[in-house]
Each structure stands twice: as structure tokens, then as C-alpha cells.
Amino acid sequence: MSASTSTPSASSANSIAASMAESLWAEPTVYHASLFEGRSVLVSGGGSGIGRAIALLFARLGAQVIVCGRTQEKLDQVAAFAKERGARVLPIAANVRDPQQVEALFARIASECGTLAAVVNNAGGQFPQPAIDFSPKGWNAVVDTNLNGTWYMMQAAARHWRDAAAPGAIVNVVAVVERGIPGIAHSIAARAGVIGATRTVAVEWAPLGVRVNCLAPGLTASEGLEVYPPEARREFHRANPLRRPGSLREIAESAVFLASPAASFMTGEVMTVDGGGRLWGELWTAGRPDHFGDSTSSEGSPHA
């Protein structure tokens, strides 16, 4: 999950995005600058937030990066930012919820960029709402992107490497699902499905030389959570025992690790980077219900 403290206008959002990209590019990294030299990496949802951070770090490390997403303008901004710094990013608009668009995306990549080294499935999204109020349309929209879209990308990537007789690595960006996250039950259900699929195909695709892992970020500081209400954002510091959000660099470096040779003996795993949030913390994405307020006693419970 990525965090924001306000709902910015389009112009201020672009300014915030540019500032975050500049900061990420300038920060030191533990990786050698040529780690992905001569290799191609695809990052979905690469136009903003965590996806943009991952794409730019791969670009810094020498990769030819392909970013896809639904908004061409955002992708173009990432590509232009990288080009100004001598890095290579190819922006391709594609909706991962459409299997035909996914198929066309991989066909174009094979034609223009050759065989990929890694695919990072970061595209996704959700809106905060009590689960009892979800409409079928709202539920399906989130599941279609976060589960089905990820699956279409996973399957297309595996076929890409099978047909090229080449190894590859898939990194699925999910969420920390062990304790659930009130307010986004639709997303947690979808992300849990991705984790289940990951563990299954890690075995099925091992003979192809394809590794499949998940990265589960906790609360992460970016512009990505402007959809969450102020009352939720005020309590984000309670999300983990470190009492701070993760940085985009911390999440991006974790994704690079899973795609790199350093993780060559890892497959079917979930790498959790959440500041200990799955062990301690509270995250109320739609705001804390009165029932869980500090002043609530056991007498206030309908089942006490």
C-alpha cells in the first residue's frame, strides 16, 4: 500500500510525482549500476507510485524498461524523466484486465525488445469502503484488475519465456494479507488469490526456468493513497511498530532483489516489507469504526 496525506490537484500531483522521482533517482542504492545492463524488464502500473519507483530503479541499473498502464500521459512522463538521465524506458498503454491487450503487449515487446529478463506485476488498485456496502460492480472491478489482470500478465510472461526457451522471473506486488485490511476486503481477496496462484505455478513453471515470487509492501509513502479519507491517513503512523511508512526506495530495492540473480534460489515465496506491520499495528483504510475506539468498552459490543 502507498500513502499520501492529501488529495492533490492534477498540477500538484505532477509536481509531487516529479519530486518523488528526483529523490528516488538521487538516493544511493545497494545495487551495482550495471546489474541489469543489456536486459529488458516489464513493469505494469509503471506510471505512478510504487510501479514508477520500481521502473526507475531498474532503469538506473542499466535495464531497458518497458512500462505499461492505462494512462499514456503518465507513462510518457516516466519515459521522458528517464531519457533526460540517459536511461531507457519504453511506454506502452495497455489495460491488464484485457487479455487481448496483454497478448498484444507481449508480442510488441518480443518484436522490439527481445526476450524479457523479468516481469513486475504492480498494476492494481482499490477504493476504501466497508465490505457490507460493496456493490457487485465495485467488487468485480477490483478483483478483475488485482487478480485477473495479474494472472493474464503472469501467464503471458510464462508463455513468452517458454516460446523463447529462456528463463525469467516474475514479481507480483501484492499486499500483506495475513490479518486482512479492513476497508479493502475486495483487494485482500484478490491479492490472496495472486499469492495462491504464485505458489502453485512456482512449481508448475519451475521446469521452464521461470521463478515466481510475491512482494508484499506495507504502508508506503507515495502519492498513491489520495483516495483514502483524512481520518484514515491521520492514523497511518499506527500501521507498524516502526511507526513510519516505507519509502519508495525500500520497496523498489526489494522488487529488484526478487528479480535479480541474488534471489535465484527463491520461488513461490512472499517477501513481506512492512515494518513489522503483520505482527503489530492497526490500519483502518476507511477510518476507524466507533466500536474500535479507545473509549469503547465491552458493554458496547452487541455480543458482549
Side-chain angles (χ1 to χ4, degrees):
M1 294 183 62
S2 54
S4 172
T5 57
S6 62
T7 304
S9 65
S11 59
S12 64
N14 289 339
S15 177
I16 292 169
S19 176
M20 288 183 169
E22 289 280 5
S23 176
L24 181 73
W25 197 270
E27 283 188 86
T29 177
V30 298
Y31 297 112
H32 193 278
S34 63
L35 179 61
F36 277 85
E37 189 70 42
R39 297 201 277 175
S40 297
V41 176
L42 169 61
V43 180
S44 71
S48 62
I50 289 173
R52 180 186 61 227
I54 293 171
L56 289 177
L57 183 54
F58 273 114
R60 278 183 66 184
L61 302 178
Q64 158 73 73
V65 180
I66 302 93
V67 289
C68 72
R70 290 183 296 174
T71 307
Q72 186 70 55
E73 181 182 2
K74 289 183 178 180
L75 302 174
D76 290 341
Q77 289 171 354
V78 175
F81 179 91
K83 184 178 181 180
E84 289 173 358
R85 290 151 184 80
R88 299 166 297 165
V89 171
L90 173 64
I92 303 177
N95 186 346
V96 300
R97 302 193 327 189
D98 184 338
Q100 292 183 329
Q101 290 191 39
V102 171
E103 184 179 350
L105 169 68
F106 276 84
R108 179 176 171 184
I109 290 171
S111 173
E112 297 184 19
C113 305
T115 303
L116 293 164
V119 172
V120 180
N121 289 315
N122 170 77
Q126 58 275 323
F127 57 89
Q129 187 180 38
I132 202 167
D133 296 326
F134 287 163
S135 68
K137 181 179 179 180
W139 172 274
N140 290 335
V142 172
V143 171
D144 202 18
T145 300
N146 294 0
L147 176 58
N148 296 341
T150 300
W151 170 249
Y152 299 146
M153 292 285 287
M154 290 170 64
Q155 187 181 54
R159 290 171 173 174
H160 170 84
W161 290 313
R162 178 199 62 190
D163 296 345
I170 296 173
V171 180
N172 295 320
V173 180
V174 290
V176 184
V177 303
E178 281 88 346
R179 295 197 299 156
I181 301 180
I184 54 170
H186 39 22
S187 185
I188 293 303
R191 305 300 193 178
V194 171
I195 292 170
T198 294
R199 289 172 172 157
T200 300
V201 299
V203 177
E204 288 192 25
W205 297 346
L208 300 175
V210 176
R211 296 188 301 106
V212 193
N213 291 292
C214 290
L215 171 62
L219 189 70
T220 304
S222 87
E223 76 277 24
L225 284 192
E226 63 268 16
V227 298
Y228 293 90
E231 59 269 28
R233 296 196 295 269
R234 282 195 295 269
E235 294 199 355
F236 278 168
H237 66 280
R238 299 174 184 242
N240 61 63
L242 298 185
R243 297 180 70 84
R244 69 168 178 87
S247 71
L248 288 171
R249 177 190 57 78
E250 288 168 327
I251 305 306
E253 288 197 328
S254 300
V256 168
F257 167 76
L258 289 173
S260 77
S264 59
F265 200 49
M266 288 180 65
T267 195
E269 293 296 331
V270 180
M271 182 177 176
T272 301
V273 186
D274 72 341
R278 70 189 179 99
L279 305 175
W280 179 94
E282 294 181 281
L283 187 56
W284 300 99
T285 60
R288 179 192 296 271
D290 291 341
H291 176 82
F292 293 98
D294 293 338
S295 62
T296 301
S297 69
S298 61
E299 294 178 357
S301 169
H303 300 294

